[in-house]
Each structure stands twice: as structure tokens, then as C-alpha cells.
Amino acid sequence: MLSTELERLYPSGKTLVKDRVASRVHARDASVYAFSDEAARCAEQFMGWVDLASNPPLPFERIASFAREARAEGFTDVVLIGQGGSTQAAMTITKYNKLDASGMRFRVLDSDSPVRLREVLHAVDPATTLVLIASKSGGTVEPRLMLSAVRAAFGEVLSSEQLVRRLVAITDPGSDLEAQAKAEGWRAVFSGEPSVGGRYSALSVFGLLPAALVGIDLEAMMARALEAERACSQDSIDNPAICLAAFLYDNYLNGRNKFSVLTQKRGRVLGLWIEQLVAESLGKGGHGILPNIEVDSLLLSSDPGDRCVVMYQTKNDSWDEMRNFEMSLSYVDPLIPRMNYRIESVEELAEHFVVWEYAVAFCGYLMQVCPFDQPDVAAAKAEVLSILRDGAPEPCLVESSLGGWQMGEVEARLAPCFAGAGTIREALRQLLGSIRPGDFFALNAFLPFTGEGRREALEVIRHGVAERFGVAACLEVGPRYLHSTGQLQKGGPNDGVFLIVSADELKDVPLEGEVAPSLGALAKAQAIGDQVILAQRGRRAVHLHVPDNSGVTLRALASEVMSVLAEVEGHAQA
């Protein structure tokens, strides 16, 4: 059963009940979003998610049967290639299930990083590995290029016939990916439902096929989803999605336009899914609610006034880990509004997918924001293709050192508001010095997060900014975030401060005959494109491109940022 604890009733819940929003959404009534013609038209096309449990477009048994046959044939590993909503739910389900897994080992490639690619290729045997390529449109650039790299690697040990029998497409009908898979004789093609947008596709084949492959009982999982669907379609104050929507919206009205997700390690991957759903659905037209995941609870020991908390307790067989989490919660200021949830099994994730999807759709109604489009994601994609075709804008600054460390050329591209900076250090000083109460900071990193010292260095920057300024600070993985918080960063309120970091690759992966000459070139173009669009939208953004992504180089960057932070703080105190 869905376990929820809400401290008090929020007024907007009554509005949702009075306006019968829950039952109308469940009935696919696009007039719910008739506050604009464009929103209503969009809703007409993308409300197929509302009854995936009660009216599944694809029989669960077909998906489960494919998974059983693959395991029986000797496949031991799955690599999922995709981006954004096409992979986020699958990652959440499979990582949450990892401790209990009895099916195949599962890995996700939603990165441009050659480091991550080599890590995955080293861990699998092509002969016993299925490769899923998930893309609703079938044309998203990141999975297309990553597939090209994986095929080249697998082709070194497999014949062409063997290789294609290890490929599985998950895509909407009529896409180029579907045509390619059928023409080449891939092992299978699973059709998505066009009326289900990517970030609402958790309980479509995009999430269910990976779930089946790792051994999850789809019937049991979807029984949970059906129970939640019935509850979320009721025009009742007890509706769990109405409770969540009212919690988020009423706190938003009171200036708490950010929420921190606090959970144990096992549940943190759910935070990534929540982050995409909320940020991409509601962050547009100058409005938005920012999910802040992987937060140190000590940063909430004093109420900052702009946040609420969503807390998830998850299954944990270790008493010490459970106690450790409970101790961390004890430091959260009780003045911060809080919503509490509990998940005991992977099947229960389905309930929470349904509740959050309905709640975000309800928030769109309350905020007068269309929750089904992503206009600023499209703008960033177009800019990247333009850079790859026509070349990137020249950097504003190029220096051969950073903080005294001679590391090779460091490029900096600056938003117009920082155009007066004569050095990279001055640009960082102006960027960080612009942070004010109520802002948020995002470190958008087109870097590998594995390997000694890399993520740790980035966390030093994220935590340092949060601690010094008392603001929400996000560490975002590129290019993944472009399909989630990237929408809010560009289309939401102008209260973000952005440091974008990318790096040359020590051993890049070339791509023959593709729009980008290599994976590293794609990542750099995406980082530059992100900065260009942010700057065009009047955002405070600095992009640094460093000569390599080694742990020591990133530690040097972190050291320089911390030095600048101390300088900014000292100036403020003076």
C-alpha cells in the first residue's frame, strides 16, 4: 500500500477537488489545460499516460515472455542506450532492484563520456549482452552516436549477423529507429505509445521491458500501479496525488519554490526520476519548482525559507544504515514543511510513479503551465546541431593555468553580464558573487562521474557553494540534465547561477560518418550550446573547458573555486 504522511491539509487541494481535476485528467480531458490554446492542444496529444495500468497498450505477458526467452538463451547483461525520459525510469527501477536482482545485470549509457563507454564495454561480454536502444523519436543525437560507438566495439568480436541479433529497439511507431531495426533484422522492436511523453513513460514499455529483464514480476508491479491509478483519479481530498500537488503548489505560493529530496542511498535514483519529471514539466514561462536531490541534511538545519522537503524511507536490511539516515533527518529544521514517504519493495515504485505523474499534471493546472511540453530543451538541441555544423563561438578567455596550476589551455565562455572579466578567476568571482538569497546554483558537468577523485572534486564545489551562501546547489550530469533541469534552467524563473564544465578527452572515441567527429566533440558542443542558450535567456552562466578530465585537474578546479568563494565571502563581510 502507498505509505504517505502529510503534516497538514493544503488549501489548493480543495480547489483540485472542487474543479474535478483528478477525474478529468484520468478521462484525458484536455480542457483542464484550456488556460491557453497551445497547452490544450499539447494535452490532447500527450495524456496517454493516465491509464497505462488499467489500459496498457502492450500486453505485459509479451514483455515478460521476451525477458524469459532472453535469459533462457544465455544472455546475462543488458546495456540500455538512451537519454532523458527514455532511460530515467528504467535506471530507477533497475538500480533500486539491484540488491535483490535475480535477472540480468543492467547498465545504462546515457552519457557522451568515452570513460563511461569504456567502463561499460569492459564489464560485459558482447556474446551474452543485449543492447536496448530507447528513443521515442528515434532521432535523438546522443543515443544514436553512442549506439554507433557500441556497434563498432561489438563488431570487433561479433559477426554482423550476431551483432544485430543482440539489438533491441524501443521507439514510437514510424520512427527512423524502427525502420532501421526492421531493415537490419534486429532481435526485436517494441513500440511505444505516441500519446505518452518520455518523462511520463515509466510504466510503458520503456520502463517495463528493463524491469522484466532484471526479473521483476510485471503483474505484481502493475497491480500496484492500478491501485494508485484508481486512487489518483478520485476527486477526493484523500487522493494521494492531490495531497502531493497541494503540498508542492501551496509551498510554491509561499516562496518555497524548491524542494529537497532526502532519502537513503538506495532511493536516490528515484530522486533523479522525480527531478526530471518536475523540472521539465513545470519549469517554463518564467515559472518552476526546483527539485534538489542528494542534499546534505546539515544544510537544512536552519530554515532557508525557500524550500520544503520530500523524504523517502526505503527498504534497508542494515540497522546501522537505517539509524544513520534517521540521525541525519534529526538535523532538519522542523519549520521546513515536509512530506514523508516509504517504499518497501521495487514493485511499490510503480505506485509512486503514478502519484508523481498525476501530482505534476495537477500542479500544471494550478500553476497555469502546460506540463507536457519542453520548448527550451528543443532550443538547446538545435543550438548544439548548429555548433556541430558551423563551429563554436570563440572563447572569451583562454589561459594556460588555473589557480597557479599549469595544466594546458583553459577556455572560458561568459554570459554578457560577466563580459568585463579580464581573467577566469575574475569571471568566477563575478559569477559566485552574483548569488543572492533565493537563488540556486547548478554545476552542469559534462564529465565522467566515475574514477578516483572526479565526483568528489565536483561535490566539493557543490557543497562549498551551498554552505557559503545557504542556497540550493545542484550537481547535474551532462548531457542527462539537458532533458530535465535544463528545461527549468532556461525556461523557469531567472534565479539560477550556472557553472558549466567540460573537458578534452585523453582517449576520445571517434565516430565515422556522424554529425560529431567524436564523443568528446559532442560533449563539448553540448556544453557550449547550453551556455549560449542560457546567456541568450539572460542567465548568469560561465562555461569552463579544461584540458582533461583527470581527478587531479578537477581537484585543481575545485581548489580554485573554493579560493574564490573565500574571497567573495571575505569581501561580503568587509
Side-chain angles (χ1 to χ4, degrees), residues 447-499:
L447 301 165
F449 275 50
T450 56
E452 183 178 359
R454 288 189 175 108
R455 175 153 193 154
E456 293 84 352
L458 300 174
E459 289 288 5
V460 166
I461 298 173
R462 187 254 283 265
H463 188 88
V465 172
E467 189 172 39
R468 294 286 170 88
F469 294 104
V471 298
C474 310
L475 176 55
E476 303 289 0
V477 182
R480 180 193 300 160
Y481 79 88
L482 294 175
H483 303 264
S484 57
T485 52
Q487 170 61 46
L488 180 140
Q489 289 176 6
K490 302 171 186 70
N494 192 356
D495 57 0
V497 176
F498 308 101
L499 176 59

Side-chain angles (χ1 to χ4, degrees), residues 3 111 115 163 202 216 301 322 330 349 380 409 414 501 504 540:
S3 177
S111 168
V115 175
L163 199 160
I216 295 171
S301 59
M322 180 65 74
S330 70
L349 280 173
E409 287 193 349
L414 317 177
V501 182
D504 285 339
R540 292 161 284 174

Side-chain angles (χ1 to χ4, degrees), residues 91-129:
M91 186 189 303
T92 298
I93 294 167
T94 56
K95 281 196 173 185
Y96 190 93
N97 189 61
K98 192 172 184 179
L99 298 177
D100 310 318
S102 58
M104 300 187 201
R105 294 181 292 269
F106 201 94
R107 295 170 178 84
V108 176
L109 270 175
D110 64 347
S111 168
D112 299 331
S113 169
V115 175
R116 174 62 179 160
L117 173 64
R118 286 191 290 270
E119 179 184 51
V120 169
L121 292 177
H122 178 74
V124 302
D125 177 357
T128 57
T129 300

Side-chain angles (χ1 to χ4, degrees), residues 151-158 163:
R151 290 186 73 156
F154 275 33
E156 294 177 1
V157 295
L158 298 175
L163 199 160

Side-chain angles (χ1 to χ4, degrees), residues 317-529:
D317 296 328
S318 167
W319 181 90
D320 294 292
E321 284 302 308
M322 180 65 74
R323 184 60 179 157
N324 184 44
F325 178 60
E326 291 171 351
M327 288 291 290
S328 72
L329 294 177
S330 70
Y331 287 93
V332 178
D333 191 327
L335 293 176
I336 302 175
R338 190 159 105 181
M339 176 81 90
N340 300 317
Y341 290 106
R342 180 187 298 274
I343 298 180
E344 290 295 330
S345 69
V346 68
E347 289 82 9
E348 289 179 41
L349 280 173
E351 297 177 342
H352 294 266
F353 289 151
V354 173
V355 170
W356 277 94
E357 287 168 357
Y358 270 87
V360 167
F362 298 165
C363 281
Y365 170 78
L366 293 167
M367 295 170 67
Q368 304 282 279
V369 165
C370 177
F372 308 119
D373 63 355
Q374 50 282 330
D376 299 285
V377 172
K381 288 180 180 179
E383 183 63 32
V384 170
L385 293 177
S386 173
I387 288 171
L388 290 170
R389 182 183 64 248
D390 304 326
E394 290 298 315
C396 302
L397 300 167
V398 178
E399 297 179 6
S400 60
S401 64
L402 191 66
W405 288 279
Q406 300 294 323
M407 59 173 62
E409 287 193 349
V410 180
E411 301 176 7
R413 291 171 174 83
L414 317 177
C417 53
F418 306 128
T423 65
I424 291 177
R425 184 177 178 89
E426 176 58 27
L428 289 172
R429 186 185 302 116
Q430 290 184 21
L431 177 76
L432 299 172
S434 73
I435 297 175
R436 299 291 179 263
D439 285 344
F440 73 92
F441 171 77
L443 175 55
N444 296 341
F446 290 82
L447 301 165
F449 275 50
T450 56
E452 183 178 359
R454 288 189 175 108
R455 175 153 193 154
E456 293 84 352
L458 300 174
E459 289 288 5
V460 166
I461 298 173
R462 187 254 283 265
H463 188 88
V465 172
E467 189 172 39
R468 294 286 170 88
F469 294 104
V471 298
C474 310
L475 176 55
E476 303 289 0
V477 182
R480 180 193 300 160
Y481 79 88
L482 294 175
H483 303 264
S484 57
T485 52
Q487 170 61 46
L488 180 140
Q489 289 176 6
K490 302 171 186 70
N494 192 356
D495 57 0
V497 176
F498 308 101
L499 176 59
I500 306 161
V501 182
S502 59
D504 285 339
E505 294 289 340
L506 295 174
K507 186 180 180 183
D508 206 349
V509 175
L511 299 167
E512 296 294 333
E514 293 288 359
V515 65
S518 67
L519 288 179
L522 173 62
K524 184 177 182 181
Q526 289 177 315
I528 295 172

